[in-house]
C-alpha cells in the first residue's frame, strides 16, 4: 500500500481542543486493493469452523479486558464522553456481544432443520444453512465510535465474513484502537481492515469496490445517498439512522425515577445518542412535580472534561453540533418556549461545551420537537389524555426507540405496542443497546434492518435452503405427463393434507387411495 504521509488525521480532544494523536489516513486509491485482499482472506476465514473463528475472536475479548482502561481513555479523549460512559455505554455492549457470539449467536448459525407433516411421508429432509456474504463494508459514526462498529464487526466475523470498517474521521483514534485490538489479538491478516479518512471520499471508493453488504450507521441524508449508490449495484444495505425518541410519563409513574432517567437519557454523551430522550410527554397531573425534579437534577449535573471521574457530562464533538443546538434553541425561544435552565454554550472551558438545557411550553411546530437536536436538550410537553400522548409520540418522521413510564407495566406494554418504533422500553430508556440478544434498529427515517440479536446476525448471512429427497418413487405425482386422473389424485391429496373438517379430509384420503388403485 502507498503510505500517504502527507495526509494525517488529527484526533482532537473536544474538551480541550488539544491534539490527542495523529492517524494515517487511507489513500482512496488503495481501497480497491484492500478489498481484494479482504476477499482472499475471507475465503480462508469462511473455511474455518465456527469454533476456530471463535478462538480468534475471543482473543480480542481477552485483549479488551486487559486494556479496558486504555481503551476507555482513548474513547473519552477522542469523543469527549465521560470515562464512566466509555465503560458503560461503549465497552459493556461489546463485552456482551462477545458473550452473545459465543452462545446464542453460535447456536443460531447451526443448520436449522425444517419440519412439515409431509416430509416424513415423502421422505424429505430440509434445512437452512447460514453462509457468509463475503466482505462487509461497515461505515460508522463518531457518537459511539467503539460499541457501534465493534458489535457489528463481531457478528459479521462470526458469520464468516471479512470486514472493511470506515470509522468517522472525527473519531479516527478509536478506529485505530479497534484496528489494534484485532491485529494485536492475532486476527488473520486481511480479515479486519480499517479505512481512515473522509466519509464522502472513502465512502465512494468503498462503494466502487462493491462490498457484498453495507452496514451504515449515521445521518439520514448520508444514509439516503448510500442507499441510492447501493441500489445501482444491488448491494444489500442496513441503515441505522437518527431518532427523535419520545418518553411518555403516565400519572402513576415513579416520578423520582422517571425524572432521573429523563435527565440521564437526555444528557448521556451530551445528548449525542441516536436513542437519547429527545421529547418528553408528561401527564398534566404530575407535570409540576416531574418538571421541578428534572430542573433540579439538570442543574446538579457537573459539566467538564470527561477524563475527570467527577464529571457527569462532557463536551459535544464539534462546533457544528453546537451550532445546530443553538439553531434549535433560537427557534424554540422565538416560538415561545421557556428555558428554566441552560440554553447557552459554556465558553470558559475551551472545548465544545453547552449547558444541559430544559425546555418547557414547547410544541410540534418547533424544530426541537421535530428534528434530531443531538445535543444536551430536554424539551418537556404536557398532555391531558393518553391517546393524545400516543399521537404526539407517533407524530415524527423517526421511529427508533421510545419509553413508557408507569407502575402498571401491563398497561405500559399495551401502550408500547401502539408506538411506532423499533424498540420500546418500559420504566427505562436506552438500555437495550447493551443487550446483545435484543434487536436494534428503527422504522421510518430511523432506518432499515436490524443489528444485534439473532435477527441482526442473520443480516450478515445468505440463508441457503438445502432439501434432500430420499424418494423410492421413480416419478412424483406432479411431474409429467399430466392427465385428468393425475389432477384428481393431486386434488384428493390436497384435501387429505389441508382440509380442517374430518369429512373433507377423509374424503380426500379415500379418493387418493382410489387413485392409486389401493381401494376399489
Ligand atoms: P454522518 O452520516 O455524518 O456520518 C456517519 C459516517 O458516514 C461517518 O463515518 C462519515 O465519515 C461517513 N460518511 C459521511 N459522508 C459519507 C458519504 N457520502 N459516503 C459514505 N460515508 C460517508 O453521521 P454522524 O454525524 O457521524 O452520526 C450522527 C448520526 O448517526 C445521527 O443522526 C445519529 O442519530 C445517527 N446514529 C444512529 C444510530 C442507530 O443505531 N440508529 C447510532 C448512532 C448514531
Amino acid at each position: 500500500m502507498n503510505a500517504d504521509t502527507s495526509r494525517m488525521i488529527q484526533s482532537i480532544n473536544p474538551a480541550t481542543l488539544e491534539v490527542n494523536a495523529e492517524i494515517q489516513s487511507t489513500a482512496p486509491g488503495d481501497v480497491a486493493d484492500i478489498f481484494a485482499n479482504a476477499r482472499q482472506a475471507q475465503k480462508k476465514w469462511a473455511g474455518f469452523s465456527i469454533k476456530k473463528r471463535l478462538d480468534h475472536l475471543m482473543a480480542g475479548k481477552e485483549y479488551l479486558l486487559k486494556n479496558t482502561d486504555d481503551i476507555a481513555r482513548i474513547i473519552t479523549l477522542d469523543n469527549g464522553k465521560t470515562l464512566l460512559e466509555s465503560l458503560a455505554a461503549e465497552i459493556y455492549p461489546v463485552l456482551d456481544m462477545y458473550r452473545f457470539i459465543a452462545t446464542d449467536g453460535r447456536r443460531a448459525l447451526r443448520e436449522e432443520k425444517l419440519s412439515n407433516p409431509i416430509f416424513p411421508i415423502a421422505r424429505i429432509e430440509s434445512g437452512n444453512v447460514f453462509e457468509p456474504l463475503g466482505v462487509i463494508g461497515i461505515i460508522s459514526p463518531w457518537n459511539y465510535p467503539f460499541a457501534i462498529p465493534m458489535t457489528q464487526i463481531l457478528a459479521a466475523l462470526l458469520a464468516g465474513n471479512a470486514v472493511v470498517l470506515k470509522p468517522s474521521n472525527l473519531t479516527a483514534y478509536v478506529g485505530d484502537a479497534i484496528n489494534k485490538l484485532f491485529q494485536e489479538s492475532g486476527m488473520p491478516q486481511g480479515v479486519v481492515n480499517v479505512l481512515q479518512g473522509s466519509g464522502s471520499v472513502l465512502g465512494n471508493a468503498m462503494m466502487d469496490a462493491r462490498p457484498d453488504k453495507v452496514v451504515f450507521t449515521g445521518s439520514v441524508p448520508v444514509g439516503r445517498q448510500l442507499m441510492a449508490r447501493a441500489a445501482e449495484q444491488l448491494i444489500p444495505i442496513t441503515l441505522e439512522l437518527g431518532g427523535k425518541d419520545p418518553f411518555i410519563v403516565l400519572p402513576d409513574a415513579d416520578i423520582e425515577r422517571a425524572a432521573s432517567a429523563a435527565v440521564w437519557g437526555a444528557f448521556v454523551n451530551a445528548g449525542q445518542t441516536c436513542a437519547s430522550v429527545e421529547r418528553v410527554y408528561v401527564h398534566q397531573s404530575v407535570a409540576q412535580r416531574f418538571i421541578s425534579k428534572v430542573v433540579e437534577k439538570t442543574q446538579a449535573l457537573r459539566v467538564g472534561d470527561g477524563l475527570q471521574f467527577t464529571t457527569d457530562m462532557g463536551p459535544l464533538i464539534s462546533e457544528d453540533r453546537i451550532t445546530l443546538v443553538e439553531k434549535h434553541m433560537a427557534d424554540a425561544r422565538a416560538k415561545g418556549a421557556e428555558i428554566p435552565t441552560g440554553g447557552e454554550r459554556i465558553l470558559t472551558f475551551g472545548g465544545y461545551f453547552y449547558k444541559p438545557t430544559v425546555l418547557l411550553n414547547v410544541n410540534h411546530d418547533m424544530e426541537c420537537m421535530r428534528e434530531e437536536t443531538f445535543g444536551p436538550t430536554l424539551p418537556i410537553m404536557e398532555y391531558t389524555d393518553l391517546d393524545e400522548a400516543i399521537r404526539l409520540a407517533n407524530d415524527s418522521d423517526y421511529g427508533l426507540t421510545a419509553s413508557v413510564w408507569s407502575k402498571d407495566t401491563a398497561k405500559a406494554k399495551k401502550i408500547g405496542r401502539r408506538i411506532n418504533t423499533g424498540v420500546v422500553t418500559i420504566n427505562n430508556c436506552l438500555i437495550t443497546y447493551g443487550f446483545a440478544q435484543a434487536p436494534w434498529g428503527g422504522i421510518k427515517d430511523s432506518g432499515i434492518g436490524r443489528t444485534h440479536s439473532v435477527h441482526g446476525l442473520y443480516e450478515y448471512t445468505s440463508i441457503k435452503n438445502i432439501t434432500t429427497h430420499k424418494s423410492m418413487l421413480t416419478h412424483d405425482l406432479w411431474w409429467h405427463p399430466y392427465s385428468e386422473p393425475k389432477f384428481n389424485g393431486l386434488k384428493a391429496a390436497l384435501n387429505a393434507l389441508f382440509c380442517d373438517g374430518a369429512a373433507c379430509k377423509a374424503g380426500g384420503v379415500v379418493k387418493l387411495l382410489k387413485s392409486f388403485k389401493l381401494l376399489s
Side-chain angles (χ1 to χ4, degrees):
M1 302 293 147
N2 311 317
D4 186 353
T5 47
S6 64
R7 295 176 64 204
M8 301 299 281
I9 304 170
Q10 288 193 326
S11 157
I12 307 285
N13 180 345
T16 61
L17 308 193
E18 285 164 4
V19 177
N20 298 312
E22 294 208 327
I23 313 292
Q24 174 72 59
S25 66
T26 309
D30 285 344
V31 172
D33 286 345
I34 292 170
F35 266 86
N37 189 35
R39 286 194 198 290
Q40 285 307 315
Q42 189 268 333
K43 288 194 183 95
K44 198 161 167 208
W45 178 250
F48 288 179
S49 66
I50 300 249
K51 180 182 174 314
K52 192 163 175 189
R53 285 181 214 157
L54 274 170
D55 287 345
H56 280 287
L57 290 169
M58 289 302 152
K61 176 182 151 191
E62 290 310 309
Y63 177 96
L64 176 55
L65 287 170
K66 272 199 201 109
N67 294 281
T68 298
D69 286 350
D70 289 347
I71 291 176
R73 191 179 157 78
I74 290 173
I75 297 168
T76 294
L77 282 170
D78 211 16
N79 163 279
K81 67 185 55 173
T82 66
L83 281 173
L84 194 133
E85 289 169 1
S86 292
L87 197 64
E90 298 263 21
I91 293 176
Y92 171 80
V94 175
L95 289 171
D96 200 52
M97 183 56 75
Y98 274 113
R99 182 200 54 73
F100 171 82
I101 61 170
T103 54
D104 293 2
R106 174 190 195 152
R107 278 192 288 276
L109 292 178
R110 287 185 191 148
E111 181 177 346
E112 180 186 28
K113 303 263 189 226
L114 303 182
S115 69
N116 182 316
I118 205 171
F119 287 173
I121 307 165
R123 295 171 59 89
I124 285 174
E125 286 169 10
S126 187
N128 297 330
V129 292
F130 301 94
E131 299 188 336
L133 292 169
V135 180
I136 312 289
I138 294 181
I139 303 178
S140 54
W142 48 265
N143 66 331
Y144 285 85
F146 189 70
I148 290 173
M150 277 297 295
T151 53
Q152 295 171 351
I153 291 170
L154 291 177
L157 294 179
L158 181 75
N161 302 284
V163 160
V164 178
L165 166 68
K166 212 303 281 169
S168 169
N169 46 326
L170 292 173
T171 47
Y173 197 13
V174 178
D176 189 55
I178 291 173
N179 196 24
K180 283 203 177 96
L181 181 150
F182 286 105
Q183 306 321 325
E184 293 182 14
S185 63
M187 182 60 56
Q189 193 276 333
V191 176
V192 177
N193 308 271
V194 178
L195 311 178
Q196 294 277 16
S198 140
S200 50
V201 175
L202 290 178
N204 269 329
M206 186 188 263
M207 297 308 276
D208 288 343
R210 213 199 175 287
D212 296 290
K213 167 142 200 173
V214 171
V215 178
F216 171 77
T217 310
S219 62
V220 176
V222 177
R224 282 191 212 284
Q225 276 177 42
L226 279 171
M227 191 164 181
R229 278 290 322 262
E232 286 166 15
Q233 306 177 82
L234 282 184
I235 298 173
I237 186 163
T238 295
L239 298 175
E240 295 284 359
L241 308 177
K244 190 75 195 167
D245 299 16
F247 182 108
I248 303 177
V249 186
L250 270 60
D252 69 344
D254 175 339
I255 297 299
E256 176 67 26
R257 178 175 168 78
S260 297
V263 170
W264 179 77
F267 302 128
V268 61
N269 200 20
Q272 303 164 114
T273 303
C274 53
S276 66
V277 175
E278 288 241 346
R279 301 178 280 152
V280 172
Y281 302 100
V282 58
H283 192 267
Q284 216 174 25
S285 62
V286 289
Q288 278 324 304
R289 207 149 49 93
F290 175 81
I291 289 167
S292 67
K293 282 180 191 290
V294 164
V295 170
E296 189 187 319
K297 289 170 195 291
T298 301
Q299 287 169 340
L301 291 175
R302 295 156 301 176
V303 180
D305 188 333
L307 287 179
Q308 303 301 320
F309 285 113
T310 47
T311 296
D312 295 315
M313 193 186 96
L316 284 83
I317 191 76
S318 65
E319 188 62 35
D320 285 357
R321 298 265 29 117
I322 296 214
T323 306
L324 184 75
V325 174
E326 284 176 337
K327 180 174 172 288
H328 283 196
M329 294 307 98
D331 172 78
R333 277 196 179 98
K335 290 174 181 161
E338 291 161 32
I339 301 187
T341 187
E344 58 188 350
R345 69 185 293 165
I346 307 173
L347 291 164
T348 44
F349 291 1
Y352 304 120
F353 290 95
Y354 196 90
K355 284 189 180 166
T357 300
V358 177
L359 295 102
L360 307 174
N361 201 24
V362 292
N363 61 56
H364 278 215
D365 291 334
M366 297 178 184
E367 290 172 355
C368 69
M369 295 298 277
R370 302 208 71 86
E371 295 172 19
E372 195 178 33
T373 306
F374 222 56
T377 61
L378 181 52
I380 304 174
M381 193 169 167
E382 296 178 26
Y383 71 88
T384 45
D385 120 277
L386 188 56
D387 284 342
E388 181 197 359
I390 294 169
R391 183 186 59 73
L392 287 166
N394 287 336
D395 178 25
S396 174
D397 292 338
Y398 293 102
L400 187 56
T401 82
S403 61
V404 182
W405 297 79
S406 166
K407 287 186 186 133
D408 183 346
T409 52
K411 179 178 172 188
K413 270 177 89 171
K414 277 193 194 147
I415 294 167
R417 293 182 78 120
R418 294 175 60 195
I419 298 176
N420 304 329
T421 55
V423 178
V424 173
T425 42
I426 312 296
N427 296 333
N428 214 318
C429 52
L430 286 158
I431 47 165
T432 65
Y433 190 82
F435 304 159
Q437 72 273 31
W440 184 261
I443 59 170
K444 302 193 272 183
D445 281 0
S446 291
I448 295 174
R450 294 292 179 266
T451 58
H452 296 186
S453 78
V454 292
H455 306 284
L457 180 61
Y458 288 147
E459 294 210 14
Y460 299 103
T461 67
S462 168
I463 304 174
K464 180 186 278 178
N465 175 266
I466 300 182
T467 294
T468 310
H469 198 172
K470 299 178 174 169
S471 177
M472 317 257 278
L473 303 174
T474 54
H475 272 69
D476 280 335
L477 191 54
W478 52 92
W479 289 0
H480 300 131
Y482 299 156
S483 66
E484 191 176 355
K486 200 174 247 187
F487 176 88
N488 290 332
L490 190 55
K491 198 171 107 185
L494 298 187
N495 285 347
L497 281 170
F498 296 113
C499 276
D500 290 325
C504 171
K505 206 177 223 356
V509 171
V510 169
K511 280 188 194 147
L512 188 62
L513 293 176
K514 275 185 179 164
S515 75
F516 280 115
K517 307 218 181 313
L518 294 174
L519 275 181
S520 53

